[in-house]
Amino acid sequence: MDILWSLLTLPYAPVRGLTSVVKVIAREAEARQYDPVNIRRELEELDRAAAAGDITPEERDRGQQEVLDRLTTPAGPAAFTPPGRPAGRPPPTGRETGRRRTAGRRGDQHRGRGD
């Protein structure tokens, strides 16, 4: 059945490949946009340009406000996710990380066994 499905959907393979490439590019662009190193670099460039007289202090303030707005404004459902975590997924719970959740304290597990 998998072979038949693969043959039937073969014409759509370029579309699936392009979609996955676009998703990777978008994820990398978002990661760079919110990277603290890049943010600091942008702010330093604004300060350098203002000190050199290339831009006015008002333009520098406006640029700094744009950078800060980008950080404080939620980007919606495609908001930044840390690297290594798929976009749109909540943080893992105890069940997904392999840890068992127990009610009560650790010592409660052994009570009643005659220990």
Side-chain angles (χ1 to χ4, degrees):
M1 184 68 178
D2 290 334
I3 295 173
L4 180 61
W5 183 253
S6 298
L7 288 174
L8 290 174
T9 60
L10 189 61
Y12 297 109
V15 174
R16 287 192 307 260
L18 182 62
T19 303
S20 64
V21 168
V22 168
K23 286 180 182 179
V24 168
I25 291 172
R27 198 175 320 134
E28 181 65 26
E30 285 182 1
R32 288 186 181 185
Q33 183 177 6
Y34 294 106
D35 185 21
V37 173
N38 289 335
I39 292 168
R40 177 174 282 204
R41 186 178 305 130
E42 287 181 41
L43 293 173
E44 288 174 353
E45 287 175 6
L46 285 170
D47 288 338
R48 251 187 253 122
D54 295 338
I55 61 174
T56 64
E58 292 81 20
E59 290 173 329
R60 183 195 67 200
D61 292 341
R62 195 174 323 123
Q64 288 176 343
Q65 190 61 45
E66 288 175 6
V67 171
L68 295 176
D69 286 345
R70 188 175 71 212
L71 290 176
T72 58
T73 305
F80 172 71
T81 55
R85 180 177 309 217
R89 293 197 57 197
T93 60
R95 185 175 301 158
E96 293 172 0
T97 59
R99 291 181 286 159
R100 293 173 57 173
R101 292 185 179 194
T102 58
R105 299 180 315 225
R106 291 182 182 211
D108 291 343
Q109 301 170 13
H110 298 291
R111 291 187 185 170
R113 290 187 183 177
D115 294 354

